[in-house]
Amino acid sequence: MAKALKFGGTSMANADSIRKVRDIILADPEAKYVVVSAPGKREPSDTKVTDMLIALYGEKTEEGRRTALDAIIARFDAIIDELGIDLDLSADYAAILGSSESDSYDYVVSRGEYLSAKVLSALIGYEFVDAADIVRFGPNGRLDDEFTQRLASDRLREAVHAVVPGFYGLGANGRIKTFSRGGSDVSGAIVAKAVGATVYENWTDVDGFMVCDPRKVKCPKIIEMLTYRELRELAYMGASVLHPEAVFPVNKSGIPINIRNTFNPSAKGTMIVCYEDLESGKYKREDRVITGIAGKKDFIGIFIQKEMMNGEIGFCKTLLDVLYENRIRLEHMPTGIDTVTLIIDPTGVSDEVLERVVMQLRDRCHPNTIEVQKGLSLIAVVGHGMMSTKGTASRVCGSLYRADVNIRMIDQGSSEMNIIIAVENEDYDRSIAALYEEFVG
Ligand code: ASP
């Protein structure tokens, strides 16, 4: 029986937090495979080691690079001193600026994880296994899942206990390549799958995944258990604890992810499990209609009305063609008999592009009216529980009515596990609070 554990930047930030990490690992005989981030912020105004490395790479002069490196060395040396371990990293420090890889951004930026793993490995006596030996990217720049699994599985099983740096692997050209920011979560999932872990524990600095954004509702409840599908819906709408790609290596293997808090290890955290395992009764959770609420602001709505629209073959196709030709991402498209609403992602959509789109929609679709509204918020109310419960949409609408919120759009996904509503930006906070109160509070 083996677990894979990943510790994030705050857990690895200083000697005190690293001692907590050590205690968590050594107290659990199943905690055999550990993935770490680079040291993160020690307090809110601090700089993460990864950002220090990014700045180092951007330095134009030799002197600037030297000074930046000295600051990074000072951070690691302080940790090593305080932990009282016998570890000399001078050759590794020197390689950051003085190896054949030093011209590579990814190599330089990955060194935070590399050094962090070396420190933990020395502290707890687990073998250091370099991520470059077990994580491989394909020529398209994406993770080569099959190759990685083969390499990682063979190497890690041989190691028995291992500490692996997160965030990077080897590219198809044989050079170090990193994931996007926060990518150590993905590395943790890769390791969990490779060793067939019973669970992937993702140790961070919060007690778990909250039902909604704590900036909108004071101390919202922690979600005790959610499914990968619910997580995807909530994460897409902005709720973030995990890197969005972290679930792919583990969800198909049925390995649950347990979000835990290094600074409050007695809290059970949030379990993320497969829907099928919940259905079959392998995992049980409290009966709740709604698992979580998440939302994002600043969408654009294009409200279109045309008489006899329902009889016109290809009307919606033309709308979608116009969006496609202008490289615009469609988020939702609820339709009525003679009306359709296009809710679009505003990223990269300038006023000029929006005007062009509206003109093309007028020319090619001849609507009776077309109205554009900016500043719409989308809110997703998510939970498998709504599938078997009558009246969820009515409770959504009723609670928003009582909070004096005008719903601009409502859309229930065909999977019947989410209801998406659009409200004006100024009603956003009130809506989240009202929905929380209705379903959880
Ligand atoms: N250290 C990297 C970052 O700050 C990767 C990670 O922590 O997951 O994004």
Side-chain angles (χ1 to χ4, degrees):
M1 296 283 240
K3 286 181 184 174
L5 293 78
K6 179 256 166 178
F7 291 88
T10 356
S11 307
M12 297 301 295
N14 57 30
D16 271 352
S17 60
I18 297 175
R19 277 192 208 100
K20 293 191 181 10
V21 168
R22 175 199 58 197
D23 294 347
I24 290 166
I25 297 169
L26 299 184
D28 184 349
E30 287 182 28
K32 294 183 182 161
Y33 300 99
V34 182
V35 172
V36 290
S37 283
K41 295 184 180 194
R42 290 160 292 188
E43 77 266 324
S45 61
D46 197 16
T47 310
K48 294 178 177 183
V49 163
T50 305
D51 290 312
M52 295 170 85
L53 288 159
I54 292 173
L56 178 155
Y57 188 82
E59 287 290 344
K60 299 271 180 296
T61 62
E62 185 57 36
E63 197 196 334
R65 282 193 289 276
R66 238 346 316 152
T67 315
L69 181 61
D70 284 346
I72 294 164
I73 293 175
R75 260 197 90 171
F76 279 103
D77 278 350
I79 292 175
I80 293 169
D81 275 359
E82 272 185 60
L83 290 174
I85 41 178
D86 183 19
L87 178 66
D88 177 10
L89 291 177
S90 46
D92 296 304
Y93 295 147
I96 296 179
L97 290 179
S99 81
S100 56
E101 284 263 25
S102 301
D103 60 334
S104 148
Y105 173 87
D106 283 22
Y107 168 75
V108 171
V109 169
S110 71
R111 294 304 87 185
E113 269 68 14
Y114 175 86
L115 296 169
S116 184
K118 286 227 150 169
V119 169
L120 187 65
S121 152
L123 181 68
I124 62 174
Y126 282 21
E127 186 179 343
F128 169 85
V129 173
D130 195 345
D133 296 336
I134 59 171
V135 177
R136 288 295 152 90
F137 293 87
N140 59 1
R142 295 189 66 79
L143 178 73
D144 183 340
D145 196 27
E146 236 172 75
F147 192 21
T148 296
Q149 282 309 317
R150 231 177 318 127
L151 281 176
S153 179
D154 290 351
R155 180 68 186 87
L156 292 172
R157 282 174 206 270
E158 173 193 301
V160 187
H161 292 93
V163 180
V164 182
F167 192 37
Y168 71 93
L170 214 57
N173 58 2
R175 306 194 82 189
I176 294 289
K177 180 169 167 47
T178 57
F179 291 102
S180 57
R181 294 298 300 267
S184 301
D185 283 342
V186 188
S187 314
I190 289 169
V191 166
K193 183 174 169 195
V195 300
T198 45
V199 59
Y200 166 24
E201 288 183 354
N202 188 293
W203 290 81
T204 175
D205 54 2
V206 289
D207 276 351
F209 213 101
M210 290 176 206
V211 173
C212 72
D213 185 343
R215 287 165 302 185
K216 308 295 169 213
V217 170
K218 207 167 154 228
C219 302
K221 285 204 170 132
I222 298 291
I223 304 175
E224 190 192 317
M225 187 176 290
L226 82 160
T227 68
Y228 283 110
R229 280 159 61 188
E230 288 169 336
L231 172 71
R232 166 121 178 90
E233 300 281 347
L234 292 167
Y236 179 70
M237 275 299 187
S240 68
V241 171
L242 275 178
H243 188 290
E245 280 163 42
V247 300
F248 297 117
V250 281
N251 67 350
K252 286 208 190 85
S253 325
I255 299 171
I257 302 177
N258 189 191
I259 310 279
R260 300 288 297 270
N261 188 354
T262 302
F263 305 92
N264 184 18
S266 59
K268 284 196 184 127
T270 298
M271 278 298 259
I272 307 167
V273 304
C274 292
Y275 175 62
E276 292 69 26
D277 287 339
L278 196 63
E279 272 283 279
S280 69
K282 181 170 171 192
Y283 296 106
K284 291 202 179 1
R285 69 175 176 186
E286 200 187 325
D287 263 349
R288 252 187 217 291
V289 183
I290 292 306
T291 307
I293 301 162
K296 273 201 225 169
K297 283 175 146 181
D298 292 329
F299 288 91
I300 300 171
I302 306 179
F303 298 83
I304 299 166
Q305 190 262 328
K306 184 175 186 188
E307 263 167 43
M308 307 302 285
M309 178 193 289
N310 70 322
E312 203 173 306
I313 291 174
F315 186 84
C316 286
K317 177 182 178 300
T318 315
L319 299 179
L320 297 181
D321 283 347
V322 171
L323 295 189
Y324 175 76
E325 287 158 24
N326 286 281
R327 314 301 300 159
I328 289 178
R329 241 181 44 194
L330 177 69
E331 297 292 325
H332 290 280
M333 192 172 80
T335 56
I337 306 171
D338 287 338
T339 56
V340 55
T341 307
L342 305 173
I343 303 280
I344 60 177
D345 179 349
T347 322
V349 183
S350 62
D351 284 351
E352 201 188 332
V353 172
L354 196 56
E355 256 173 51
R356 188 173 66 221
V357 166
V358 171
M359 219 163 60
Q360 291 176 358
L361 291 173
R362 274 209 185 96
D363 288 351
R364 288 160 64 175
C365 305
H366 311 290
N368 294 101
T369 61
I370 178 163
E371 183 208 329
V372 175
Q373 186 177 356
K374 288 189 187 171
L376 286 179
S377 297
L378 288 184
I379 299 173
V381 180
V382 177
H384 293 291
M386 69 176 70
M387 248 187 275
S388 52
T389 317
K390 289 179 192 153
T392 312
S394 135
R395 285 175 69 189
V396 167
C397 296
S399 60
L400 293 179
Y401 166 72
R402 285 187 294 281
D404 197 24
V405 171
N406 183 21
I407 300 176
R408 292 300 320 252
M409 179 213 80
I410 179 156
D411 191 8
Q412 176 168 357
S414 54
S415 57
E416 261 197 81
M417 59 170 288
N418 65 352
I419 293 175
I420 312 272
I421 47 161
V423 301
E424 277 160 32
N425 275 352
E426 63 198 40
D427 292 336
Y428 178 74
D429 291 8
R430 219 153 10 111
S431 304
I432 299 275
L435 291 165
Y436 182 84
E437 187 54 38
E438 172 70 31
F439 289 101
V440 190

